[in-house]
Amino acid sequence: GAGVSQSPSNKVTEKGKDVELRCDPISGHTALYWYRQSLGQGLEFLIYFQGNSAPDKSGLPSDRFSAERTGGSVSTLTIQRTQQEDSAVYLCASARRGHTDTQYFGPGTRLTVL
Amino acid sequence: GENVEQHPSTLSVQEGDSAVIKCTYSDSASNYFPWYKQELGKRPQLIIDIRSNVGEKKDQRIAVTLNKTAKHFSLHITETQPEDSAVYFCAASIIGTASKLTFGTGTRLQVTL
């Protein structure tokens, strides 16, 4: 079946602009994660959605970052007033239920803030 | 919260040799330890995982060992091949709780001919 998809694949924006990144998880997966991966670095957890529960936002680096998940499926990560340090690859992953289920990653969105 | 440390950050081995990547974790309650492989320009993919009720798990050329007393676990790759070249991430979590998966910082493995 279809895997996790993300759009856009690349996004170049100017400092101060807002951006929206989209994630389509695998159908039926109730868990959805957003990670940030800076060049050559590890996976930085941002936010986690599980079903109808309140999301775990503990990884969001500032209040410029927010995410929502509509209808328990598609998720959008929004970065307001982008800064150059926001430049990274943003990865989305979904899992069947929770933290100990295999996470299937999307291809990522490469964000470049000029 | 959980803290996972991973070593080495880079590792170069000759084709056919073995490679070992080590991780330590801080939360003694952690009992689920997956390993993800990320090839250059691609997404991370799960390659093997282990739960704390076992000390070792093997899948062909890949094995993972767990020492709960010392709070460390390792990935072993035998008979390395060029296609093993990638970044490997370890992670830790607690089964059945809301604690998220905490990843290590990654090890870049280079298998040379």
Side-chain angles (χ1 to χ4, degrees), chain B residues 59-77:
Chain B
D59 182 2
Q60 300 182 337
R61 296 186 296 106
I62 292 173
V64 57
T65 58
L66 171 65
N67 182 328
K68 282 188 66 66
T69 302
K71 291 190 286 187
H72 69 69
F73 56 111
S74 301
L75 178 71
H76 304 252
I77 306 174

Side-chain angles (χ1 to χ4, degrees), chain A residues 4 35 37 40-43 45 56 58 91 99-100 102-103 105-107, chain B residues 32 36 38 43-44 46 51 89 93-95 97-101 103 105:
Chain A
V4 178
Y35 296 93
Q37 187 172 35
Q41 300 300 308
L43 297 164
F45 167 79
D56 177 354
S58 61
L91 289 162
H99 298 308
T100 53
T102 301
Q103 293 189 24
F105 285 81
Chain B
Y32 173 66
Y36 283 78
Q38 186 176 27
R43 68 195 79 183
L46 179 74
R51 303 192 177 210
F89 293 97
S93 184
I94 305 172
I95 297 170
T97 72
S99 72
K100 63 184 181 293
L101 202 57
F103 284 89
T105 50

